[in-house]
Amino acid sequence: MSEYVLTGVQRAAVILLSLGEQQAAEVLKHMGAKEVQKLGVAMTSVGGVSRQDVEKVIDNFVDTLEQPNIGSGADEYVRSVLVQALGEERASSLIDRILLGRNTTGLDTLKWMEPRAIADLVRNEHPQIIAIVLSHLDPDQGAEALKFLPERTRADVLIRIATLDGIPPHALNELNDVMAKQFAGNQNLKSSTIGGVKVAANILNFMDSGQDEAILAAIAQIDEPLTSSLRDHMFVFDNLAEIDDRAMQAVLREVPADKLALALRGADTKVREKITSNMSQRAAEMLVEDMEARGPVRLAEVEGAQKEILTIVRKMADDGTIQLAAKAEVFV
């Protein structure tokens, strides 16, 4: 394989494989999950790079570097690096997607596609089929795919996701086979337990502000009790007032001060009090001063800052760093 045909991600993978586990883990700590995933996939696919090409890649970054042999042990190397960078629990699902994703087919293949491509693939299918497909995706990916579907079908699909209570294995296998044929593969799924209110609520949590309320309003016209149930399982910015003090203090250590000041411009009084009561007096005073010093800001900026903080909170809950209130059980 020539150095000149390597992609940027592959070159980065060669560098990481040459650094050693500890150094590579330190680099990965500063990257987002999707970036880590892309690099992980690349790291397991560059085993055929010659030493000469490795040297050419490395020469672009450093003058001298100890270069280990990059060969068949790449999988274990990736596992070790990801665990060091992300921790055992957080890394486990990502490792499975990276190391098993190279040979996935059928519905699992969709997890490796762009959300817009997924939406284009299923937009002409029956809403029940779309619901099953989106239920099988990760919540953020399902939310992105839902955004690209026609607005008139979003509420219908969410209702079907929320009311899914598993489907017969043979029916899921048939759907998987249909998808597999489109990717020239064949694979049976091990589980038929997909869908449900929690899955639908989690997808809504990743929708843009305004889009989630529009979908909930449409659902309310059809099924008001379901709307209430979805809201109970969603975790929104105002729900931060319900988490315990220890969790709030952990969150505040991770949230940038400028984002916090912007997000609180549109927050409920209870949320403000919850946050300031878990800060030192001086820090709380500086936060209030920062908020008062800012001129008028667009609502979209405030909502964007709130979304960023909620993303941090959800990741911390997923990692087991904090536990959210009962309403956020879907994230624990």
Side-chain angles (χ1 to χ4, degrees), residues 307-325:
K307 287 284 187 181
E308 288 186 39
I309 293 174
L310 283 176
T311 298
I312 293 173
V313 171
R314 290 171 188 142
K315 286 182 178 179
M316 293 178 70
D318 287 339
D319 295 345
T321 306
I322 62 172
Q323 287 189 344
L324 303 184

Side-chain angles (χ1 to χ4, degrees), residues 238-299:
D238 287 349
N239 292 139
L240 288 176
E242 301 167 8
I243 68 176
D244 63 43
D245 290 343
R246 181 175 295 181
M248 176 57 73
Q249 291 163 17
V251 169
L252 292 176
R253 289 194 290 269
E254 300 296 327
V255 174
D258 59 333
K259 293 296 181 183
L260 186 61
L262 184 57
L264 289 183
R265 291 290 292 267
D268 184 82
T269 303
K270 291 182 179 180
V271 178
R272 293 190 185 190
E273 293 176 351
K274 180 71 173 183
I275 289 174
T276 54
S277 67
N278 280 282
M279 304 173 73
S280 68
Q281 182 177 351
R282 179 55 184 158
E285 290 174 353
M286 291 177 63
L287 177 64
V288 173
E289 290 174 2
D290 189 10
M291 291 172 58
E292 293 176 347
R294 290 174 180 263
V297 294
R298 292 182 300 174
L299 178 61

Side-chain angles (χ1 to χ4, degrees), residues 10-57:
Q10 288 174 323
R11 293 186 185 195
V14 169
I15 294 293
L16 288 177
L17 286 168
S18 302
L19 286 178
E21 293 183 6
Q22 185 175 354
Q23 290 83 356
E26 287 298 320
V27 173
L28 291 175
K29 287 180 182 179
H30 299 282
M31 299 183 181
K34 293 187 182 298
E35 294 172 317
V36 173
Q37 181 178 325
K38 288 181 180 179
L39 273 171
V41 172
M43 289 165 73
T44 61
S45 66
V46 294
V49 178
S50 68
R51 187 180 181 83
Q52 181 180 5
D53 284 339
V54 170
E55 292 174 350
K56 291 179 181 178
V57 172

Side-chain angles (χ1 to χ4, degrees), residues 29-98:
K29 287 180 182 179
H30 299 282
M31 299 183 181
K34 293 187 182 298
E35 294 172 317
V36 173
Q37 181 178 325
K38 288 181 180 179
L39 273 171
V41 172
M43 289 165 73
T44 61
S45 66
V46 294
V49 178
S50 68
R51 187 180 181 83
Q52 181 180 5
D53 284 339
V54 170
E55 292 174 350
K56 291 179 181 178
V57 172
I58 292 175
D59 285 342
N60 291 328
F61 296 93
V62 294
D63 295 330
T64 59
L65 182 68
E66 181 181 358
Q67 302 159 21
N69 183 37
I70 300 176
S72 58
D75 285 8
E76 289 305 315
Y77 180 94
V78 171
R79 287 181 186 276
S80 179
V81 169
L82 290 178
V83 169
Q84 288 186 52
L86 306 175
E88 183 74 40
E89 184 176 352
R90 186 180 174 191
S92 59
S93 62
L94 186 57
I95 289 170
D96 287 341
R97 290 187 65 182
I98 290 172

Side-chain angles (χ1 to χ4, degrees), residues 143-161:
E144 286 295 321
L146 190 64
K147 293 176 187 178
F148 292 113
L149 292 176
E151 187 173 350
R152 65 182 181 277
T153 67
R154 294 174 187 168
D156 186 12
V157 170
L158 254 295
I159 290 176
R160 293 172 185 274
I161 291 174

Side-chain angles (χ1 to χ4, degrees), residues 94-159:
L94 186 57
I95 289 170
D96 287 341
R97 290 187 65 182
I98 290 172
L99 299 182
L100 300 179
R102 292 169 293 179
N103 300 312
T104 54
T105 58
L107 284 171
D108 283 340
T109 304
L110 298 177
K111 293 185 177 183
W112 299 88
M113 293 176 60
E114 291 295 325
R116 183 187 293 274
I118 296 172
D120 290 341
L121 186 66
V122 301
R123 70 171 60 249
N124 294 323
E125 299 291 341
H126 189 280
Q128 188 72 5
I129 299 297
I130 300 176
I132 294 171
V133 169
L134 296 192
S135 295
H136 192 68
L137 303 175
D138 290 337
D140 57 338
Q141 190 182 24
E144 286 295 321
L146 190 64
K147 293 176 187 178
F148 292 113
L149 292 176
E151 187 173 350
R152 65 182 181 277
T153 67
R154 294 174 187 168
D156 186 12
V157 170
L158 254 295
I159 290 176

